[in-house]
Amino acid sequence: MAPLITNIYTADPSAHVFEGKVYIYPSHDRETDIKFNDNGDQYDMADYHVFSTSSLDPQETPTDHGVVLKTEDIPWASKQLWAPDAAYKNGKYYLYFPARDKQGIFRIGVAVGDRPYGPFKAEPEPIKGSYSIDPATYVDDDGQAYMYFGGLWGGQLQCYQKGNDIYDPEWAGPKEPTGEGVYSMGARAAKLTEDMKEFDGEVQEIQILDPETKKPILADDHDRRFFEAAWVHKHNGTYYFSYSTGDTHFLCYATSDNPMGPFTYGGRILEPVLGWTTHHSTVKFQDRWWLFHHDCELSGGVDHLRSVQVKEFYHDKDGKIVLGKPE
Ligand code: FUB
Protein backbone atom coordinates (compact mmCIF):
# COMPACT_ATOMS: atom_id res chain seq x y z
CA MET A 1 0.00 0.00 0.00
CA ALA A 2 1.26 3.51 -0.82
CA PRO A 3 2.47 5.49 2.17
CA LEU A 4 0.26 8.26 3.51
CA ILE A 5 3.09 10.79 3.70
CA THR A 6 5.59 11.00 0.85
CA ASN A 7 7.02 14.54 0.84
CA ILE A 8 9.49 13.72 3.63
CA TYR A 9 10.41 10.52 5.50
CA THR A 10 8.30 10.05 8.62
CA ALA A 11 8.06 7.36 11.31
CA ASP A 12 6.52 6.56 14.71
CA PRO A 13 3.18 8.25 13.89
CA SER A 14 1.03 9.34 16.82
CA ALA A 15 -2.44 10.22 15.57
CA HIS A 16 -5.15 12.17 17.37
CA VAL A 17 -8.41 13.83 16.43
CA PHE A 18 -8.24 17.54 17.21
CA GLU A 19 -10.63 20.21 15.93
CA GLY A 20 -12.44 17.62 13.75
CA LYS A 21 -9.34 16.51 11.82
CA VAL A 22 -6.76 13.77 12.22
CA TYR A 23 -3.43 15.24 13.34
CA ILE A 24 -0.31 13.11 12.91
CA TYR A 25 2.79 13.70 15.04
CA PRO A 26 5.61 11.59 13.55
CA SER A 27 9.39 11.44 13.85
CA HIS A 28 11.10 13.14 10.89
CA ASP A 29 13.67 10.69 9.48
CA ARG A 30 16.60 12.16 7.58
CA GLU A 31 19.63 11.05 5.57
CA THR A 32 22.74 10.25 7.59
CA ASP A 33 26.14 8.62 7.17
CA ILE A 34 25.79 6.92 10.55
CA LYS A 35 25.85 3.16 9.92
CA PHE A 36 23.02 0.91 11.11
CA ASN A 37 23.62 -0.47 14.58
CA ASP A 38 21.43 -2.10 17.24
CA ASN A 39 21.71 0.99 19.41
CA GLY A 40 19.68 2.95 16.84
CA ASP A 41 22.33 5.67 16.32
CA GLN A 42 21.21 5.92 12.67
CA TYR A 43 17.90 7.46 13.81
CA ASP A 44 19.47 10.89 13.97
CA MET A 45 16.46 13.15 13.74
CA ALA A 46 16.64 16.88 14.44
CA ASP A 47 13.12 18.32 14.13
CA TYR A 48 9.40 17.56 14.07
CA HIS A 49 6.74 18.29 11.46
CA VAL A 50 2.99 18.01 12.12
CA PHE A 51 0.51 16.75 9.51
CA SER A 52 -3.28 16.89 9.33
CA THR A 53 -5.99 15.43 7.15
CA SER A 54 -9.77 15.58 7.10
CA SER A 55 -10.24 12.26 5.28
CA LEU A 56 -8.71 8.81 5.65
CA ASP A 57 -11.12 7.03 3.34
CA PRO A 58 -10.49 7.93 0.62
CA GLN A 59 -7.07 9.08 1.71
CA GLU A 60 -6.27 12.71 1.16
CA THR A 61 -2.66 13.83 1.02
CA PRO A 62 -2.14 15.21 4.52
CA THR A 63 -1.18 18.85 4.93
CA ASP A 64 2.39 19.30 6.14
CA HIS A 65 2.34 22.13 8.69
CA GLY A 66 6.14 22.36 8.54
CA VAL A 67 8.72 22.34 11.32
CA VAL A 68 7.08 22.84 14.72
CA LEU A 69 10.09 22.16 16.97
CA LYS A 70 13.82 21.57 16.45
CA THR A 71 16.79 20.50 18.57
CA GLU A 72 18.28 24.03 18.73
CA ASP A 73 15.08 25.25 20.41
CA ILE A 74 15.19 22.63 23.19
CA PRO A 75 17.58 23.98 25.84
CA TRP A 76 18.40 20.61 27.44
CA ALA A 77 18.59 18.37 24.34
CA SER A 78 21.64 17.32 22.34
CA LYS A 79 20.35 14.97 19.62
CA GLN A 80 17.99 12.25 18.43
CA LEU A 81 14.46 13.59 18.51
CA TRP A 82 12.72 10.21 18.53
CA ALA A 83 9.06 9.19 18.61
CA PRO A 84 6.79 12.04 19.80
CA ASP A 85 3.17 12.29 20.88
CA ALA A 86 0.70 15.09 21.54
CA ALA A 87 -2.21 15.80 23.87
CA TYR A 88 -4.86 18.46 24.39
CA LYS A 89 -6.05 19.76 27.71
CA ASN A 90 -7.38 23.02 29.13
CA GLY A 91 -7.20 24.87 25.80
CA LYS A 92 -3.52 24.02 25.13
CA TYR A 93 -1.72 21.46 22.99
CA TYR A 94 1.27 19.56 24.36
CA LEU A 95 3.98 17.95 22.25
CA TYR A 96 5.91 15.25 24.14
CA PHE A 97 9.22 14.02 22.80
CA PRO A 98 12.29 12.01 23.81
CA ALA A 99 15.81 13.28 23.13
CA ARG A 100 19.27 12.68 24.50
CA ASP A 101 20.32 15.27 27.03
CA LYS A 102 23.81 16.82 27.03
CA GLN A 103 25.13 13.71 28.88
CA GLY A 104 23.70 11.37 26.23
CA ILE A 105 20.87 10.10 28.43
CA PHE A 106 17.37 9.92 26.98
CA ARG A 107 14.82 12.15 28.75
CA ILE A 108 11.30 13.19 27.83
CA GLY A 109 10.44 16.80 27.17
CA VAL A 110 7.26 18.77 26.65
CA ALA A 111 6.57 21.74 24.42
CA VAL A 112 3.38 23.79 24.56
CA GLY A 113 1.33 25.42 21.81
CA ASP A 114 -2.02 27.08 21.24
CA ARG A 115 -2.94 25.13 18.12
CA PRO A 116 -2.60 21.43 17.20
CA TYR A 117 -0.18 22.35 14.42
CA GLY A 118 2.09 24.38 16.67
CA PRO A 119 4.41 26.11 16.86
CA PHE A 120 5.42 24.55 20.17
CA LYS A 121 7.70 26.11 22.78
CA ALA A 122 9.84 23.67 24.72
CA GLU A 123 10.01 23.83 28.50
CA PRO A 124 13.57 24.61 29.65
CA GLU A 125 14.07 21.24 31.38
CA PRO A 126 12.90 17.69 30.62
CA ILE A 127 9.99 16.31 32.66
CA LYS A 128 11.34 15.69 36.16
CA GLY A 129 11.89 11.97 36.74
CA SER A 130 11.54 11.10 33.04
CA TYR A 131 13.83 8.66 31.26
CA SER A 132 14.03 6.43 28.18
CA ILE A 133 11.95 7.04 25.03
CA ASP A 134 8.63 6.86 23.19
CA PRO A 135 6.20 8.91 25.29
CA ALA A 136 2.53 8.24 24.56
CA THR A 137 -0.25 10.08 26.34
CA TYR A 138 -3.78 8.98 27.01
CA VAL A 139 -6.40 11.37 28.39
CA ASP A 140 -9.18 9.34 29.99
CA ASP A 141 -12.88 10.20 29.91
CA ASP A 142 -12.63 11.73 33.40
CA GLY A 143 -9.91 14.13 32.17
CA GLN A 144 -7.00 12.34 33.92
CA ALA A 145 -3.96 12.22 31.62
CA TYR A 146 -1.43 9.39 31.66
CA MET A 147 1.96 9.04 30.04
CA TYR A 148 3.35 5.67 28.94
CA PHE A 149 6.99 5.42 27.90
CA GLY A 150 10.10 3.27 27.62
CA GLY A 151 12.15 1.37 25.10
CA LEU A 152 14.87 -1.29 25.35
CA TRP A 153 18.40 -1.33 23.85
CA GLY A 154 19.06 2.14 22.32
CA GLY A 155 16.08 3.41 24.29
CA GLN A 156 17.98 2.74 27.57
CA LEU A 157 15.04 1.27 29.55
CA GLN A 158 17.26 -1.61 30.71
CA CYS A 159 19.52 0.91 32.48
CA TYR A 160 16.81 1.48 35.13
CA GLN A 161 16.57 -2.00 36.65
CA LYS A 162 17.62 -0.63 40.06
CA GLY A 163 14.90 2.04 40.20
CA ASN A 164 13.35 5.01 38.45
CA ASP A 165 16.10 7.49 39.22
CA ILE A 166 19.04 5.13 38.98
CA TYR A 167 20.69 5.07 35.56
CA ASP A 168 23.10 2.13 35.38
CA PRO A 169 25.66 2.75 32.60
CA GLU A 170 26.69 -0.93 32.76
CA TRP A 171 23.47 -1.69 30.86
CA ALA A 172 23.88 0.99 28.16
CA GLY A 173 23.73 -0.39 24.62
CA PRO A 174 21.66 -3.06 22.91
CA LYS A 175 21.16 -5.25 25.99
CA GLU A 176 18.29 -6.44 28.13
CA PRO A 177 17.71 -8.85 31.01
CA THR A 178 17.64 -12.50 29.99
CA GLY A 179 17.64 -15.97 31.57
CA GLU A 180 15.29 -18.74 32.64
CA GLY A 181 12.38 -17.47 34.71
CA VAL A 182 13.44 -13.80 34.41
CA TYR A 183 10.49 -11.50 33.83
CA SER A 184 10.57 -9.00 30.95
CA MET A 185 10.89 -5.31 31.75
CA GLY A 186 7.63 -3.41 31.45
CA ALA A 187 6.90 -0.05 29.90
CA ARG A 188 6.61 2.77 32.41
CA ALA A 189 3.52 4.87 33.16
CA ALA A 190 2.67 7.86 35.30
CA LYS A 191 -0.27 10.18 35.78
CA LEU A 192 0.31 13.69 34.47
CA THR A 193 -0.36 16.78 36.56
CA GLU A 194 -3.24 19.10 35.68
CA ASP A 195 -0.85 21.42 33.80
CA MET A 196 0.41 18.39 31.79
CA LYS A 197 4.05 19.27 32.45
CA GLU A 198 5.00 16.88 35.25
CA PHE A 199 4.49 13.39 36.54
CA ASP A 200 1.88 13.24 39.28
CA GLY A 201 3.14 10.55 41.66
CA GLU A 202 5.43 7.59 41.14
CA VAL A 203 6.42 6.21 37.77
CA GLN A 204 5.11 2.63 37.69
CA GLU A 205 5.94 -0.44 35.65
CA ILE A 206 3.25 -1.74 33.30
CA GLN A 207 2.89 -5.49 33.60
CA ILE A 208 1.81 -7.66 30.68
CA LEU A 209 0.55 -10.99 31.97
CA ASP A 210 0.52 -14.29 30.15
CA PRO A 211 -3.19 -15.26 29.89
CA GLU A 212 -2.36 -18.87 30.85
CA THR A 213 0.08 -18.47 33.75
CA LYS A 214 -1.27 -15.06 34.92
CA LYS A 215 2.39 -14.16 35.46
CA PRO A 216 4.39 -11.47 33.64
CA ILE A 217 5.67 -12.35 30.16
CA LEU A 218 9.19 -13.74 30.40
CA ALA A 219 12.24 -11.79 29.25
CA ASP A 220 13.22 -14.47 26.75
CA ASP A 221 9.77 -14.48 25.13
CA HIS A 222 10.82 -12.06 22.40
CA ASP A 223 7.65 -12.69 20.37
CA ARG A 224 5.52 -11.15 23.13
CA ARG A 225 7.65 -9.10 25.50
CA PHE A 226 7.42 -5.28 25.52
CA PHE A 227 10.27 -3.60 23.63
CA GLU A 228 9.13 -0.04 22.74
CA ALA A 229 6.31 2.03 21.16
CA ALA A 230 3.75 1.98 23.99
CA TRP A 231 0.26 3.22 23.10
CA VAL A 232 -3.13 3.11 24.85
CA HIS A 233 -6.68 3.40 23.59
CA LYS A 234 -10.02 2.54 25.14
CA HIS A 235 -12.83 0.59 23.48
CA ASN A 236 -16.09 -0.43 25.20
CA GLY A 237 -14.58 0.32 28.61
CA THR A 238 -11.46 -1.84 28.05
CA TYR A 239 -7.97 -0.30 27.93
CA TYR A 240 -5.81 -1.62 25.09
CA PHE A 241 -2.05 -1.30 25.64
CA SER A 242 -0.24 -1.87 22.33
CA TYR A 243 3.49 -2.04 21.71
CA SER A 244 6.34 -3.25 19.52
CA THR A 245 8.31 -6.42 20.26
CA GLY A 246 11.46 -4.87 18.74
CA ASP A 247 13.82 -7.55 17.47
CA THR A 248 10.92 -9.86 16.49
CA HIS A 249 9.17 -6.91 14.76
CA PHE A 250 5.55 -7.50 15.83
CA LEU A 251 2.96 -5.02 17.00
CA CYS A 252 1.06 -6.67 19.86
CA TYR A 253 -1.59 -5.68 22.38
CA ALA A 254 -2.77 -6.49 25.88
CA THR A 255 -5.97 -5.49 27.69
CA SER A 256 -7.04 -4.34 31.14
CA ASP A 257 -9.91 -2.66 32.97
CA ASN A 258 -7.40 -0.25 34.54
CA PRO A 259 -5.21 2.25 32.61
CA MET A 260 -2.24 1.33 34.84
CA GLY A 261 -2.75 -2.39 34.30
CA PRO A 262 -1.90 -5.13 34.83
CA PHE A 263 -2.69 -5.92 31.19
CA THR A 264 -3.26 -9.41 29.82
CA TYR A 265 -1.61 -10.32 26.52
CA GLY A 266 -4.20 -10.37 23.72
CA GLY A 267 -2.40 -11.07 20.44
CA ARG A 268 -0.74 -9.48 17.44
CA ILE A 269 -1.96 -6.44 15.55
CA LEU A 270 0.60 -6.34 12.74
CA GLU A 271 3.16 -8.80 11.33
CA PRO A 272 6.69 -7.53 10.55
CA VAL A 273 7.00 -4.78 7.92
CA LEU A 274 9.99 -3.87 5.75
CA GLY A 275 12.57 -2.32 8.10
CA TRP A 276 13.82 -3.18 11.58
CA THR A 277 11.48 -0.99 13.60
CA THR A 278 7.72 -1.06 13.79
CA HIS A 279 5.81 1.61 15.71
CA HIS A 280 2.22 2.70 15.62
CA SER A 281 -0.76 4.50 17.10
CA THR A 282 -4.51 3.92 17.00
CA VAL A 283 -7.24 6.51 16.63
CA LYS A 284 -11.02 6.55 16.30
CA PHE A 285 -12.11 8.95 13.57
CA GLN A 286 -15.68 9.33 12.36
CA ASP A 287 -16.66 6.11 14.18
CA ARG A 288 -13.98 3.93 12.57
CA TRP A 289 -10.68 2.76 14.04
CA TRP A 290 -7.38 3.41 12.25
CA LEU A 291 -3.90 1.98 12.75
CA PHE A 292 -1.05 4.33 11.88
CA HIS A 293 2.39 2.75 11.54
CA HIS A 294 5.52 2.98 9.40
CA ASP A 295 7.62 0.88 7.04
CA CYS A 296 10.59 1.36 4.70
CA GLU A 297 8.88 0.58 1.37
CA LEU A 298 9.29 4.11 -0.03
CA SER A 299 13.05 4.21 0.64
CA GLY A 300 13.49 0.68 -0.74
CA GLY A 301 14.34 -0.74 2.68
CA VAL A 302 16.74 1.92 3.99
CA ASP A 303 16.23 1.34 7.68
CA HIS A 304 16.43 4.92 8.94
CA LEU A 305 14.21 6.33 6.14
CA ARG A 306 10.70 5.27 7.05
CA SER A 307 7.23 6.33 5.86
CA VAL A 308 3.88 6.54 7.60
CA GLN A 309 1.11 4.16 6.57
CA VAL A 310 -2.51 3.92 7.71
CA LYS A 311 -5.00 1.04 7.69
CA GLU A 312 -8.41 0.44 9.19
CA PHE A 313 -8.78 -2.07 12.01
CA TYR A 314 -11.65 -3.52 14.03
CA HIS A 315 -12.47 -4.93 17.45
CA ASP A 316 -14.31 -8.22 16.95
CA LYS A 317 -17.23 -9.41 19.11
CA ASP A 318 -14.78 -10.75 21.73
CA GLY A 319 -12.88 -7.46 21.81
CA LYS A 320 -9.91 -8.87 19.87
CA ILE A 321 -8.12 -6.52 17.48
CA VAL A 322 -8.34 -7.66 13.86
CA LEU A 323 -7.30 -6.01 10.60
CA GLY A 324 -9.95 -7.69 8.43
CA LYS A 325 -13.58 -6.68 8.86
CA PRO A 326 -15.24 -9.24 11.18
CA GLU A 327 -18.35 -11.05 9.89
O1 FUB B 1 12.39 6.51 15.56
C1 FUB B 1 13.37 6.19 16.51
C2 FUB B 1 12.97 4.99 17.30
O2 FUB B 1 12.75 3.89 16.43
C3 FUB B 1 11.65 5.13 18.03
O3 FUB B 1 11.73 5.92 19.18
C4 FUB B 1 11.35 3.70 18.26
O4 FUB B 1 10.07 3.44 18.70
C5 FUB B 1 11.66 3.12 16.90
O5 FUB B 1 10.60 3.27 16.01
Side-chain angles (χ1 to χ4, degrees), residues 11-16 23-26 83-86 135-136 231 279-281 292:
D12 312 321
S14 292
H16 293 274
Y23 277 86
I24 307 155
Y25 300 85
D85 190 22
W231 187 261
H279 188 130
H280 69 299
S281 65
F292 285 76

Side-chain angles (χ1 to χ4, degrees), residues 11-12 27 29 40 43 45 81-84 98 106 133-134 150 227-230 244 276-279 294 306:
D12 312 321
S27 302
D29 283 358
Y43 307 116
M45 299 83 105
L81 298 191
W82 283 11
F106 271 110
I133 59 166
D134 291 2
F227 186 92
E228 62 187 2
S244 161
W276 199 97
T277 65
T278 186
H279 188 130
H294 67 232
R306 301 162 291 179

Side-chain angles (χ1 to χ4, degrees), residues 76-102:
W76 57 269
S78 63
K79 61 177 182 176
Q80 288 180 302
L81 298 191
W82 283 11
D85 190 22
Y88 170 78
K89 194 162 175 178
N90 300 332
K92 295 274 183 204
Y93 291 87
Y94 300 88
L95 181 69
Y96 296 98
F97 55 91
R100 285 187 193 253
D101 67 13
K102 312 274 190 213

Side-chain angles (χ1 to χ4, degrees), residues 291-309:
L291 174 73
F292 285 76
H293 69 101
H294 67 232
D295 64 27
C296 297
E297 298 286 348
L298 189 64
S299 68
V302 180
D303 196 69
H304 61 276
L305 297 178
R306 301 162 291 179
S307 303
V308 168
Q309 298 267 4

